[in-house]
Amino acid sequence: MTTRITAAARPLPAAEIAVPFADCDITAEAQAAVLRVLQSGWVTTGREVAAFETEFAAAVGAEFAVAVSSCTQGIELALRSLGLPPGSLVLSSTMTFCGAVQAIVHAGHQPVLVDVDPVTGMPTPATVRAAVQSFGRPAALTVVHWAGDVADVPALAEAAGVPLDHVVVDAAHALGTYAGDAPIGSGPGATCFSFYATKNLPLGEGGMITTDDAARADWLRGARLHGMTADAWRRYLPGGNWRYNVADAGLKANMTDIQASMGRAQLTHFPSWQRRRAEIAAQYDDRLAGLPGVGLPHRPAPGEGTHAWHLYPVRLRLHGGIDRDEVIAALSARAIGTSVHFIPVHRLAYFSQTALIPSAGLTGADALFDQLLSLPMYPRLTGQQLDAVCTAVTDIAHEGISGKGTE
């Protein structure tokens, strides 16, 4: 006899509170900044981008920041900046967004997928060494700070036999993450951030690469705009010269002044947004701790760093035959949005054929994937909305444990 969650089929009571999974807060200041740029006569890459780069670099403790069109393009450019031979092996967690692995492919290299610890959702030195033993030493390594948690970048680089300046950090989830006392974005190598609509600093689209290497930053600024030696802003400034050269194979991956003006305004709200995310995570912890069949997210141990709480991913191990998708349907019936981060890359058709996958499989990621559920997490989540989520999850967990609703 299989347990079914009866809430999935019942009509939504009018009094229930709708809780979307994500909420993109474009502040009044950001909206006003966009209008100012629209009225300025210059809307593409220019002074706003340059100012946003300076302010963002200061916020994460980096020497340089280069604004780009997306985190995905940032990862590709960061890999291209290494000048690796075509077809070089590049390690990537399989528990990441598909775009991060597409970036390796489009940079001209061979992705090698690495298994994860089911507790943290991230690779370990042991899983990295297993991939190296299967396919050989890689030329580079990408590291994702999954959900906003802290990955041990030096330990993973050492296990891969890769120098730190050949590590590309995927910090799409990690604006606000700290490794020890250092914000993610500082230090050697290149770190790539996302400003997608769901991220901790939402612009809708956009990305940033940070680095402490001046020569690398200069190369990235040219490569993000076709490899040209001078962008339009510099050419059209009073006294500028219309001439330019093309030094390298580049991309069309620049950020506009419209986006950058939003970013500068949004950045002033970022500290308070992060405090609110931490409050929400603590409230989830208090309400869901000890709930049968619901595992709380991993978080850094004291001294390891600070979680950015981009996501709040719980692990479901409910009894009675209830699976994750039934829980999603039951929560949806209560007007509560959820998501799953991520479908492991090796389960996606294209990468199952093109990426290198250890013959033993990626069992840690497979075990984790079937349990994952991301709950709503954003600064404008109200106390009533959070209460609605926790009440619903509690009801569903107890229904599964007690066997109510069995057929």
Side-chain angles (χ1 to χ4, degrees), residues 35-393:
L35 182 59
R36 173 174 51 79
V37 170
L38 291 174
Q39 293 171 340
S40 74
W42 189 272
V43 297
T44 188
T45 307
R47 65 163 58 93
E48 291 288 336
V49 168
F52 185 33
E53 290 173 337
T54 298
E55 292 162 9
F56 189 88
V60 300
E63 290 292 327
F64 307 99
V66 179
V68 290
S69 56
S70 70
C71 183
T72 302
Q73 293 289 62
I75 294 170
E76 179 179 346
L77 286 167
L79 287 169
R80 286 175 178 262
S81 72
L82 295 173
L84 305 176
S88 293
L89 300 182
V90 178
L91 300 190
S92 169
S93 171
T94 192
M95 188 59 73
T96 190
F97 182 57
C98 60
V101 186
Q102 290 279 21
I104 298 171
V105 174
H106 289 300
H109 303 309
Q110 174 64 63
V112 178
L113 300 182
V114 180
D115 204 6
V116 302
D117 179 347
V119 175
T120 67
M122 295 181 287
T124 66
T127 63
V128 167
R129 284 192 292 268
V132 173
Q133 289 167 3
S134 294
F135 302 110
R137 182 175 172 177
L141 168 69
T142 63
V143 176
V144 60
H145 295 281
W146 182 74
D149 202 354
V150 184
D152 190 341
V153 175
L156 296 176
E158 181 180 4
V162 170
L164 284 173
D165 63 359
H166 278 52
V167 176
V168 175
V169 175
D170 178 356
H173 294 181
L175 181 56
T177 300
Y178 281 69
D181 295 328
I184 299 302
S186 59
T191 303
C192 303
F193 295 89
S194 173
F195 306 132
Y196 183 65
T198 61
K199 296 300 189 287
N200 291 34
L201 189 74
L203 308 185
E205 296 287 356
M208 191 75 77
I209 311 168
T210 60
T211 181
D212 289 348
D213 185 329
R216 195 172 191 178
D218 284 343
W219 186 92
L220 290 165
R221 290 191 191 97
R224 71 179 170 186
L225 197 58
H226 310 295
M228 297 166 65
T229 55
D231 61 27
W233 175 250
R234 292 182 180 87
R235 299 199 311 272
Y236 299 154
L237 281 171
N241 191 304
W242 62 269
R243 292 185 182 276
Y244 61 87
N245 198 359
V246 174
D248 279 295
L251 304 175
K252 173 64 171 172
N254 59 306
M255 179 180 283
T256 69
D257 267 15
I258 295 172
Q259 294 166 294
S261 69
M262 293 171 61
R264 297 180 68 195
Q266 298 283 80
L267 197 57
T268 64
H269 292 269
F270 182 72
S272 64
W273 286 344
Q274 287 303 107
R275 288 192 294 272
R276 178 58 184 154
R277 285 179 180 272
E279 290 171 359
I280 292 167
Q283 290 167 12
Y284 271 140
D285 287 353
D286 289 343
R287 292 288 301 273
L288 302 180
L291 196 62
V294 178
L296 302 186
H298 180 265
R299 71 262 348 271
E304 285 184 348
T306 304
H307 202 301
W309 295 116
H310 170 58
L311 300 173
Y312 192 89
V314 296
R315 278 78 161 168
L316 300 177
R317 296 179 290 274
L318 299 180
H319 296 259
I322 296 173
D323 65 26
R324 186 260 318 282
D325 289 349
E326 286 185 282
V327 175
I328 290 172
L331 291 171
S332 179
R334 297 192 185 202
I336 294 169
T338 57
S339 191
V340 175
H341 296 83
F342 295 99
I343 302 172
V345 172
H346 68 278
R347 291 194 178 195
L348 302 174
Y350 175 72
F351 297 107
S352 70
Q353 300 298 316
T354 57
L356 297 181
I357 301 170
S359 58
L362 298 164
T363 56
D366 285 331
L368 175 61
F369 168 60
D370 291 334
Q371 300 173 356
L372 283 176
L373 180 67
S374 295
L375 299 179
M377 166 59 80
Y378 42 86
R380 289 201 295 192
L381 190 73
T382 68
Q384 281 187 311
Q385 288 175 315
L386 190 142
D387 182 68
V389 175
C390 293
T391 298
V393 172

